[in-house]
Amino acid sequence: MPVQTLNPPTATTNGDPTTLGDVTSQATSLAHDLITLAELQTRLLVLDVREAGKRSAASVVILAAMGSLVLSAGPVVLTGVSDLIVANTTWSPGGAKLLVGLIAVLIGAAAGFAAFVRLRRVTNVLNRSQQELSQNLEFVKSLVSGTSDSRRSRFSSMN
């Protein structure tokens, strides 16, 4: 078992031992910075969610309108198209309905995919919050580990 020694008291920049007041002051300062950081992160997330809502509102309305139109008019139109195919070709009614149904499914899938891609682009707005959170976490880690050049360096651009 290796010899264990007690660590000497930590010295301040002027060589004096660290006092309880210094530790308390630094802990209070760190807590203040962490609370400020959490507040700023929350504000950014709220702004990003609002922006995402504004950008996606039109897409959601269009999707709902398209869905209701397709659901209400779709069977009538598809039956009419299949009846036209049967009347103008030698196809059976069942074959014409299957062909028209397959084409309708492909068109619906393409429209749904396009709407999904458009809505997915809106979520890119949240990348800003994710990047800022990553930077803030790195800053907090540097504060806690003591590798930060200045405890105000992360917030210096805000003043």
Side-chain angles (χ1 to χ4, degrees), residues 35-49 129 132-133 136:
I35 290 168
T36 302
L37 192 61
E39 179 185 11
L40 292 172
Q41 189 68 45
T42 303
R43 286 182 187 175
L44 181 61
L45 180 62
V46 167
L47 288 173
D48 284 347
V49 168
S129 287
E132 190 68 23
L133 178 61
N136 289 340

Side-chain angles (χ1 to χ4, degrees), residues 77-151:
V77 171
L78 296 176
T79 302
V81 171
S82 68
D83 287 345
L84 282 174
I85 291 173
V86 169
N88 293 316
T89 64
T90 59
W91 285 39
S92 68
K97 288 178 183 172
L98 283 175
L99 174 68
V100 170
L102 180 62
I103 292 171
V105 165
L106 291 175
I107 292 171
F113 180 74
F116 173 76
V117 167
R118 186 172 174 182
L119 279 173
R120 191 162 179 215
R121 278 190 225 137
V122 171
T123 61
N124 289 338
V125 170
L126 299 177
N127 284 342
R128 183 173 55 190
S129 287
Q130 181 182 9
Q131 290 171 351
E132 190 68 23
L133 178 61
S134 296
Q135 291 174 356
N136 289 340
L137 289 175
E138 287 301 317
F139 174 68
V140 169
K141 287 178 188 177
S142 72
L143 281 177
V144 173
S145 67
T147 59
S148 176
D149 293 336
S150 165
R151 83 177 177 82

Side-chain angles (χ1 to χ4, degrees), residues 54-82:
K54 287 178 184 176
R55 287 187 183 184
S56 64
S59 295
V60 170
V61 169
I62 291 169
L63 232 121
M66 289 289 297
S68 64
L69 281 174
V70 168
L71 288 175
S72 63
V76 175
V77 171
L78 296 176
T79 302
V81 171
S82 68

Side-chain angles (χ1 to χ4, degrees), residues 21-45:
D22 293 337
V23 172
T24 304
S25 174
Q26 290 175 2
T28 302
S29 179
L30 176 62
H32 179 267
D33 286 348
L34 293 176
I35 290 168
T36 302
L37 192 61
E39 179 185 11
L40 292 172
Q41 189 68 45
T42 303
R43 286 182 187 175
L44 181 61
L45 180 62

